[in-house]
Structures are given as C-alpha cells and as structure tokens.
Amino acid sequence: MDTKLLDILACPITKSPLKLSPDKTELISKAAGLAYPIREGIPVMLESEARTLTDDERLDK
C-alpha cells in the first residue's frame, strides 16, 4: 500500500486516520473499531465489508 495514499485516507464513519495492519491486509480505524480489507492492493472502504476489531486489537495487545 502506498504510504501517500494512506496519508490521505480516513475512516468513512469517524473521519479519523487509518493505520495499516502489521500484515498489510487491512486498514485499522481504532475510533470506529473496524478493520477495512485491502483486496488486490485496493482498500475497500465500506462499512459492510469491514470487520469489527477484537478487544485485544482495540487495546493494541
């Protein structure tokens, strides 16, 4: 994922910044508690496609 793209993307729900997951397959929105998938290098920024973060992920464990 291009870091310049990551700098301009924001969570569509909270408008907060996103963080790239360690395995680089998701964009994490801590504020919304969601992880948006990245498919074939393209972020899917739809709430219906996002998964809910686990409690450990929300707490950075």
Side-chain angles (χ1 to χ4, degrees):
M1 165 131 266
D2 185 0
T3 56
K4 290 181 184 178
L5 179 60
L6 186 57
D7 288 341
I8 62 172
L9 286 176
C11 174
I13 298 167
T14 64
K15 311 300 185 240
S16 61
L18 297 167
K19 180 180 165 188
L20 189 60
S21 66
D23 62 4
K24 299 182 181 358
T25 61
E26 297 176 313
L27 293 175
I28 307 295
S29 172
K30 292 277 186 171
L34 295 172
Y36 298 96
I38 300 173
R39 296 189 184 128
E40 297 180 24
I42 301 169
V44 181
M45 305 299 291
L46 300 171
E47 184 178 3
S48 62
E49 294 290 321
R51 73 172 178 85
T52 304
L53 296 176
T54 65
D55 289 338
D56 286 344
E57 289 173 317
R58 287 178 186 221
L59 299 173
D60 279 333
K61 288 186 179 180

